Structure formats: structure tokens, C-alpha cells
Amino acid sequence: MSSKKQIDFVPRSTALCYVRLSSTRDESDLISPERQRANILAECGRHGWLPEWYEDVDGHKSGTKEDNRPGWLALKTRLADPDVVAVVANDLSRLHRKGWRVGNLLDLLEQHGVGLVLAAPGRNLDLSGPAGKITTMIIALMDEYYATDLSEKQKDSVRHRRTKGQVVGPLPFGTIRGKDKYLQRSSEGIWLSVDGKLVEGKQDQPSPDENALWRGFAEAAYRCLDLYSENRRGRRKIAEILNREGFRFRDSDGKIVPFNADDVRRITANWVEYGGAVVPGKAKNRRAKDVTPDNIALNPARAVFEVDLCNRVGEVRKKRTRDMKRSADYAVRLDATIYPLSKLVYCAYCEQLAQEADNVALRSYLTGKTGNKHESRRYRHDTDRHCPSKIRSVNADLLERDFLFILENLTVKPEAVPLLAKAVEHFNRENQQEDKRTKIQAEIAHWRQRAQNADKLFKNVRISEEDWRNTLETTEHEIARLQSQIVQHNEAEIALNLTMNMVADLVQNWTEANHEMRRALASGLFQYLVYDLDKQQIVDFKLKPWIELLMQLKVTLQDNDSDSTPDSGSGTDGKQGVLECSRRDSNPRRQVPKTCALSPELREQVNEC
């Protein structure tokens, strides 16, 4: 029996059950998916079908579209399977609210021999004849008209409410809708305990702790606007101040989170709504130079905060707007400053928090920041991350000097040098065998000649097109294989030579390289470094596994009057010795020396390591 005959006898017992919730307006809407599932499950039980569920119930899932409904798209991919017997939905509007989409669906179901069953009471349709299809299309057109009519009514309602000065859509932070549908200050906020715990509540409720500090959301929004109106700090700095003062932000998901720069932007962009006025469009899409106090009249009677404060915020936003036309530039900036250790050095405080919580997402790295002057070149902590560190940046020369000290104490293990040299010599010797290279090149020439001969034979109709194509395919495969052998030998030789040269003298390679080469060198040697911003010192680091096998840590002190007296060590002891020595004389306020020489007194301290 053929395979096709076997497929025809696969029992059709699977029902593709679809549930959709277009939007959630209140808690009663949440019952809708449950009601749909109950009706669908009962219908499957009457027919003895196995239900297979597909749902689109999270967020706004309009029936007029398909691209925003992943559940429905997944269901359509199953229609051609031989075990599918029917598509079951609560009613026709759950599938589509477009007449032409319903027509296409009926044709698709008929093509695959799949039925359509509506589970809601009184909604069953007989699609076996023309009358049933006509009835279905009429219902689909009515559903489409309902969706269009509802959309027009909603748009008209939005226009009417905006003409009355009522905010439509998500409310600005720290506000609620009053009984008159206008904005007013929210009484919600958090209680901040002495131990740092947060408890959400309302101002008129009793405090969960007698020592807890109340921080309201409306108070936080007012404080943010006040700081911004001074025009003395950026959004990141304002967020840090708000976090230090105990204020917190409630995001769109209802979670209580620390402030960041985007939260400050969201609050300041709503200065119009805080001032009692309403403008069309979303606040995040407004251009600060177009929506200004010059062309927006605030309403003191409807204002949530003082009109003067809101106007000052609007003026500051206008002043900070860059009113210059710039052409799109997708090229690499030639004047961009490269920081060799950027995103390689982690904050010690955040690293400790990440280890305690066993969550690597809490780690925060240092990035480069260039000011208007050369001496402003610094590594800065991520400003969006809350960190107990008091100092948020470090002089770049100071950090790179301490990194150089670690490089000075990395040396190649004596037992690794002969292996590296032997490996390089091995590949050099193989590459120097001209006979082997010549032989490979001769084979490549042979296969190219075969391809030319095949072209001539095919042109003279001496071989078929199939033989000609097979010959060309074989020829190209063999040529690629032979060329890869030459490339692999060359790449291996280059890689080993680079490794040998790099690890031979790390300090010289670092000092003579530009910033871009330094970054490549640091990233190739270290997995990460941990830096204490308050103490201004490197407290930990980890080498890459491949370099850790080749290198050892040494504390080497060189005196002008004597030979070098190494105090070598490996593993944890060697690392701790290097870290202790790199912390000497690390005052960030002093001028960073150009060399890394150690005084006799410091040499004595290092010997104690």
C-alpha cells in the first residue's frame, strides 16, 4: 500500500480551538476567555474531538488584523495536517471581523476538508450548502460593520473629551482621574522602611512601621519637575537624586522601580498635562520646540501642579532642544575616543550584589566618557543602575596604569615557551615545503582545466547538460577544498605567530599600541576586571582560559643596583600579590605618573606580599 493511501486513513480527531480577547476594559472582561473555553470544550465533548488550544488573550488583539495574533497564525499552519477535523471558536467574530478574511477562511477550510464549528449557543452554522455560506458571510459583514462603527464612536468620544480638557489614554505619573474625569494628585505611594524595604500604600493609611518614611508618587513627580526646572542637572543626575531621597517610580506594568533617565523624561514631557492643558498625540512623540509655553496656554483651574513650575519645565525643554539639521551619518566617526577597558571592568559593589543574589544581570560595567578637556577622560559607572558606591567614575589614566601594573606581572610560563616555539616551527616547516604547496596548486590547475574542457564539450554538443553541470559542481567542490588547505595552514601560522609575539612582551605591546589595539589586547587576555570606585583600586580579575594556561603571575621588583629578584607565584596567591601591589599609591587626586616605577619604601611593602 502506498504512503498516500496510509495518509488518507489517518483518523481526524483533533479540533483546533481558538480563543481571542480583543481588549480588557475591566475585571469583567477577564471572564470572556473562560466562557469561550467552556463553550468550546463542551462542543468538543459532544463530538468526541481532542481539543488543541490556540489563544490570543494578552493585550489588544484586534479581529480586523492577523499579524498581531500569533496564536491564530500558528493555528493556520496546522490546517493542512491530516489529523485535523475542525476549527472551533466561540463565535465568528472571534476569528475575524473582516468579511473578505472570513471568505478566504471558508475557502481554505474547504480546500483542506476541515469543518468550522461555532460553540456559542445558537451560533451553529451549516456550511454544507450555499445557504449556510451566505448566512456566514452576512454575519461576517455585520461583525465588520460593528467594528468600524465602534471605532468611529471611540474616536468621536476621544475628540469630545479632549475639547473639554480631559486626558485620554495612560495617565501621567502621580495622577489619577477624579470623579469629574479631570486629573488630580494621586494619594498612592510607598512606605520606605529603615532597612530599605518598600511597602506600597496610600497616604491616609496607617504606616506599617513607625520609622517608615512616606514617599508619594505625586510628591515624586513634583520633585522631579522642580529639579528639572532649575536647569542645572541632566536627567540621569536627577534620577540619582530622586533615588537617594527615597522616591520610586511605578512603571506601566504597575511595578515599583528606581528612577532612571527615561522616567525623568516621561514626567517632564507631561508638563502640559500637569499644567491642566491637553494636546493631541502621545507625550513621548512631542517635539520640545513645537510644544512650548509660548503656544500652549495652561489652565490653573485644572492644573495638578503650579502653572509657573510647569511653564519653567517647558522653557527648559525648549532651551535643551538641539535646533540644528543634521544629515544622517552612518559612517564610523574618526574623532571617536576609544577606551581600552570599556565594558571590561565591572563595579565591585554591583559584583558583590550579583554574587549574593546569584544574578549576573545585576553586574554593571564601566564605560568611557570624554569631556570637553583631555583631563576629563574617565571611566564612568552605568548611571541607570542603582549602586551604593559614592564615587561614580575614575580617572582613565589611573585605571589604565593599574591595569598596566598587572600586565607587568604576567609572564609566560617557562614550560609553555618551548611548546609555543615548537608549534610555530612546525607550521613554518610545513609551509616551507614548497613541494607540497606546489602539488596543491597543480591539483587546482588540473581541476580548472577539467572545467574548461567540459565547457568546450558541452558547447560542441559532445556531452549532455546534466553531465556538464555535474562536472562543474565536482570541480568547484575540489577547488574549494584544496584552497582551504592552503588557507588553513596560513591562518594557523599567523595565529601562532601573533600569540607568540603578544605574550612575549605584554607591556611593550601595550605601551606601543594605540587605543584600538589596546582594547583588542585587553579583551583577548581578560574575561573581566573588578574595580572598587570608592577605594579607586582593582580588587579582582580573571584571565581568559587559553591565556591562563600559558601565563603565570609574578611580582617582580627591579632595582637599579641589582638584578631582578622575582617573588613568583601562581594561582590565588600570585593574583593576590599582584592586586596588593597594584593598590599602592592609588590616590585619585594626585597627578598620574607617566611611568610605573616604585619607590624603595614601596618595594619593601611589596616584599611583604
Side-chain angles (χ1 to χ4, degrees):
M1 185 178 293
S2 64
S3 60
K4 184 175 180 181
K5 295 291 184 181
Q6 295 176 359
I7 293 177
D8 292 340
F9 286 99
V10 172
R12 291 178 176 267
S13 59
T14 303
L16 305 182
C17 307
Y18 182 68
V19 176
R20 180 178 68 86
L21 179 65
S22 58
S23 62
T24 302
R25 303 184 185 278
D26 51 48
E27 295 182 357
S28 62
D29 286 339
L30 297 176
I31 305 176
S32 179
E34 181 181 353
R35 174 170 49 83
Q36 294 180 48
R37 295 188 194 100
N39 292 339
I40 292 173
L41 193 60
E43 191 69 24
C44 291
R46 281 192 291 270
H47 292 84
W49 294 337
L50 298 176
E52 185 174 306
W53 297 95
Y54 296 87
E55 299 186 358
D56 290 311
V57 296
D58 297 328
H60 182 63
K61 305 296 183 182
S62 174
T64 60
K65 303 176 183 178
E66 280 191 340
D67 53 359
N68 66 334
R69 294 192 284 160
W72 173 251
L73 296 177
L75 182 147
K76 290 179 65 177
T77 61
R78 284 273 284 132
L79 292 178
D81 294 339
D83 63 323
V84 176
V85 62
V87 174
V88 185
N90 190 66
D91 57 78
L92 196 61
S93 64
R94 297 303 91 195
L95 301 176
H96 290 296
R97 283 191 181 274
K98 284 287 187 180
W100 66 270
R101 290 189 185 276
V102 173
N104 291 343
L105 175 62
L106 295 180
D107 293 339
L108 185 62
L109 295 177
E110 185 177 1
Q111 177 184 351
H112 295 295
V114 177
L116 175 63
V117 176
L118 303 181
R123 297 296 182 92
N124 294 327
L125 298 174
D126 183 10
L127 301 179
S128 59
K133 293 182 179 180
I134 294 175
T135 304
T136 302
M137 292 304 302
I138 293 176
I139 295 175
L141 292 175
M142 293 176 61
D143 290 336
E144 182 177 355
Y145 170 77
Y146 172 79
T148 304
D149 182 63
L150 184 62
S151 175
E152 293 298 328
K153 290 179 180 178
Q154 289 288 347
K155 292 178 182 178
D156 182 62
S157 174
V158 169
R159 287 192 294 266
H160 175 68
R161 283 181 287 172
R162 281 179 174 169
T163 56
K164 295 176 60 177
Q166 297 176 357
V167 175
V168 180
L171 302 181
F173 174 71
T175 65
I176 59 173
R177 269 194 193 90
K179 295 181 179 180
D180 56 357
K181 305 301 181 182
Y182 291 99
L183 294 183
Q184 64 183 27
R185 296 193 184 191
S186 171
S187 61
E188 298 178 339
I190 61 169
W191 293 98
L192 182 62
S193 302
V194 179
D195 56 359
K197 293 183 179 180
L198 304 178
V199 178
E200 189 174 359
K202 294 186 177 182
Q203 190 172 11
D204 54 356
Q205 294 177 346
S207 171
D209 184 0
E210 59 180 7
N211 297 323
L213 185 65
W214 170 254
R215 286 290 181 260
F217 295 142
E219 184 181 1
Y222 183 88
R223 178 61 173 158
C224 178
L225 295 174
D226 187 37
L227 291 172
Y228 188 85
S229 66
E230 298 175 358
N231 199 18
R232 295 170 51 196
R233 307 172 183 87
R235 293 196 296 264
R236 291 188 178 92
K237 190 63 177 178
I238 292 176
E240 292 178 8
I241 295 175
L242 292 173
N243 290 328
R244 282 202 305 267
E245 294 179 356
F247 294 105
R248 292 296 182 268
F249 186 81
R250 183 162 63 184
D251 59 16
S252 57
D253 296 329
K255 298 180 180 179
I256 308 300
V257 295
F259 273 88
N260 57 35
D262 281 339
D263 299 332
V264 176
R265 176 191 55 77
R266 294 183 180 98
I267 294 175
T268 55
N270 280 302
W271 67 271
V272 177
E273 284 75 14
Y274 288 125
V278 176
V279 294
K282 297 181 179 180
K284 66 177 183 179
N285 298 331
R286 298 172 190 164
R287 303 180 65 183
K289 66 177 183 179
D290 296 336
V291 181
T292 66
D294 299 331
N295 52 31
I296 298 295
L298 303 183
N299 185 359
R302 302 295 183 188
V304 179
F305 303 126
E306 292 82 353
V307 172
D308 293 339
L309 173 62
C310 297
N311 282 328
R312 291 200 305 271
V313 172
E315 290 291 344
V316 173
R317 281 174 51 85
K318 178 182 176 181
K319 292 179 182 178
R320 294 187 178 185
T321 302
R322 295 181 179 179
D323 191 10
M324 58 180 69
K325 296 182 179 180
R326 295 183 177 181
S327 58
D329 184 11
Y330 303 101
V332 177
R333 291 186 56 183
L334 299 179
D335 58 342
T337 302
I338 298 176
Y339 288 80
L341 305 181
S342 180
K343 295 188 178 181
L344 185 64
V345 181
Y346 288 90
C347 168
Y349 291 95
C350 297
E351 182 72 15
Q352 183 179 358
L353 294 176
Q355 292 179 0
E356 293 175 353
D358 194 18
N359 184 6
V360 295
L362 299 179
R363 304 174 77 184
S364 179
Y365 47 70
L366 307 185
T367 55
K369 180 182 182 299
T370 304
N372 297 327
K373 300 180 181 180
H374 177 69
E375 55 266 27
S376 299
R377 183 172 168 269
R378 304 181 67 83
Y379 288 93
R380 183 179 63 181
H381 191 284
D382 187 357
T383 53
D384 293 336
R385 292 291 187 92
H386 177 68
C387 178
S389 176
K390 297 180 181 179
I391 301 177
R392 307 290 287 182
S393 65
V394 58
N395 187 292
D397 293 333
L398 178 62
L399 176 55
E400 292 169 9
R401 187 218 64 164
D402 294 340
F403 178 78
L404 177 60
F405 191 93
I406 293 179
L407 290 184
E408 289 177 345
N409 293 277
L410 284 178
T411 58
V412 182
K413 291 182 179 180
E415 60 269 20
V417 175
L419 296 177
L420 281 176
K422 186 177 180 180
V424 175
E425 181 183 358
H426 169 74
F427 281 98
N428 284 337
R429 184 171 62 252
E430 284 199 357
N431 290 332
Q432 289 171 1
Q433 293 177 0
E434 295 297 334
D435 295 341
K436 186 174 183 179
R437 186 184 297 274
T438 304
K439 182 179 179 181
I440 295 177
Q441 292 176 347
E443 288 190 51
I444 294 176
H446 165 73
W447 285 104
R448 287 175 176 168
Q449 185 62 45
R450 287 193 60 176
Q452 294 178 3
N453 295 340
D455 291 340
K456 292 180 181 179
L457 292 174
F458 178 66
K459 183 177 181 181
N460 296 330
V461 200
R462 302 295 297 273
I463 59 175
S464 64
E465 182 179 358
E466 182 179 359
D467 293 337
W468 172 66
R469 293 186 182 277
N470 292 335
T471 302
L472 290 185
E473 183 178 354
T474 304
T475 300
E476 293 174 356
H477 175 74
E478 290 297 327
I479 291 176
R481 181 183 63 81
L482 293 170
Q483 288 178 341
S484 65
Q485 292 181 4
I486 299 177
V487 172
Q488 288 174 1
H489 281 284
N490 292 338
E491 289 181 348
E493 179 185 3
I494 294 172
L496 283 171
N497 279 321
L498 288 176
T499 303
M500 190 69 179
N501 295 332
M502 181 179 68
V503 302
D505 195 343
L506 295 175
V507 177
Q508 182 179 357
N509 291 331
W510 176 269
T511 55
E512 294 180 356
N514 55 25
H515 288 308
E516 185 175 1
M517 294 300 296
R518 288 183 176 183
R519 183 171 186 172
L521 176 64
S523 301
L525 293 176
F526 290 84
Q527 288 190 8
Y528 63 84
L529 296 98
V530 181
Y531 195 83
D532 192 321
L533 288 168
D534 289 342
K535 297 180 180 179
Q536 300 281 287
Q537 62 188 26
I538 299 175
V539 296
D540 193 14
F541 64 86
K542 183 174 180 58
L543 294 172
K544 290 288 182 69
W546 72 271
I547 198 66
E548 193 171 4
L549 296 174
L550 301 177
M551 311 298 292
Q552 66 178 356
L553 300 176
K554 295 183 65 177
V555 181
T556 305
L557 302 179
Q558 198 165 14
D559 196 348
N560 296 331
D561 300 332
S562 62
D563 297 333
S564 60
T565 58
D567 179 13
S568 57
S570 60
T572 306
D573 295 337
K575 178 193 288 190
Q576 292 301 324
V578 172
L579 291 174
E580 288 295 333
C581 296
S582 64
R583 298 167 188 169
R584 312 298 184 186
D585 194 21
S586 298
N587 187 352
R589 296 179 178 84
R590 60 161 175 76
Q591 183 178 1
V592 179
K594 297 182 179 179
T595 63
C596 297
L598 298 178
S599 63
E601 293 80 5
L602 290 179
R603 290 195 184 96
E604 294 179 1
Q605 296 179 7
V606 173
N607 286 330
E608 298 176 357
C609 296

